[in-house]
Amino acid sequence: MAKHAPEMPIEVDSETGVWTTDALPMLYVPRHFFVNNHIGIEEVLGADAYAEILYKAGYKSAWHWCEKEAECHGLSGVAVFEHYMKRLSQRGWGLFKIQSIDLDKGTCEVRLDHSAFVYVYGQCGRKVDYMFTGWFAGAMDQILQAQGSSIRTVAEQVYGASEEGHDHGLFVVKPL
């Protein structure tokens, strides 16, 4: 397996220890720590209830991220979504690839390979990448609003690599 250094800028404030990439403060935590917390919450709330909470929180967070990153880098339109997928991939969540995107229609398809969640859950027979769905809709809606569009979207995972017969995940974004 070939390896390389991180491809995104990381700065650490000497006084506070806060890590920053581009325009936003970041946290660096081990995958097992994050996913074990995810599993623990899922066990208490149930996957469906937790997915609903994560959708709303992820939507809001992706909106904020796209707004700040677009401003920081002078990006707009599809370039913002491409930058978001690049940064998600660079931060270890998995490898995200835009299969299609049409801002005029408010649609998008994203492929996910090497999901951090699938690495822990394995092939468990259900979708485990639901954390990402709100991210895609929040990103799309922020980009659409920045362009003056009134279209708002919803995202869903069609399938995941955690399900039999699939070696990757697929997400779709479509208008409400």
Side-chain angles (χ1 to χ4, degrees):
M1 172 192 322
K3 296 183 180 187
H4 62 274
E7 297 174 347
M8 60 185 170
I10 300 169
E11 294 177 345
V12 181
D13 185 295
S14 298
E15 284 186 34
T16 64
V18 173
W19 288 42
T20 305
T21 293
D22 298 329
L24 296 167
M26 306 294 286
L27 298 175
Y28 182 61
V29 300
R31 179 175 61 206
H32 74 273
F33 172 83
F34 185 88
V35 177
N36 284 340
N37 278 280
H38 180 87
I39 291 168
I41 295 167
E42 190 179 73
E43 288 172 352
V44 172
L45 299 178
D48 292 340
Y50 190 37
E52 186 176 328
I53 292 166
L54 288 175
Y55 189 96
K56 292 174 186 174
Y59 180 99
K60 180 179 178 180
S61 296
W63 184 296
H64 178 78
W65 190 96
C66 289
E67 188 172 54
K68 295 300 180 190
E69 288 292 295
E71 181 182 304
C72 176
H73 296 287
L75 301 172
S76 64
V78 171
V80 177
F81 203 89
E82 291 171 340
H83 180 63
Y84 190 39
M85 295 303 102
K86 177 181 176 183
R87 285 295 194 244
L88 290 177
S89 296
Q90 290 173 328
R91 293 191 337 235
W93 291 107
L95 298 179
F96 296 86
K97 183 174 181 185
I98 300 168
Q99 300 290 290
S100 66
I101 186 166
D102 186 329
L103 297 181
D104 292 333
K105 293 180 182 175
T107 61
C108 183
E109 288 189 2
V110 177
R111 177 184 171 126
L112 171 59
D113 289 286
H114 306 288
S115 163
F117 291 101
V118 175
Y119 275 138
V120 176
Y121 281 87
Q123 283 229 323
C124 62
R126 66 180 180 93
K127 296 173 189 71
V128 297
D129 301 311
Y130 51 83
M131 174 177 267
F132 304 131
T133 55
W135 297 8
F136 301 137
M140 180 69 87
D141 287 0
Q142 189 284 323
I143 294 162
L144 290 168
Q145 179 171 299
Q147 293 187 157
S149 174
S150 61
I151 297 172
R152 292 301 172 263
T153 65
V154 63
E156 66 179 320
Q157 184 174 17
V158 179
Y159 55 81
S162 56
E163 297 177 288
E164 179 124 5
H166 299 287
D167 64 354
H168 65 278
L170 180 67
F171 298 82
V172 297
V173 179
K174 58 188 176 189
L176 287 171

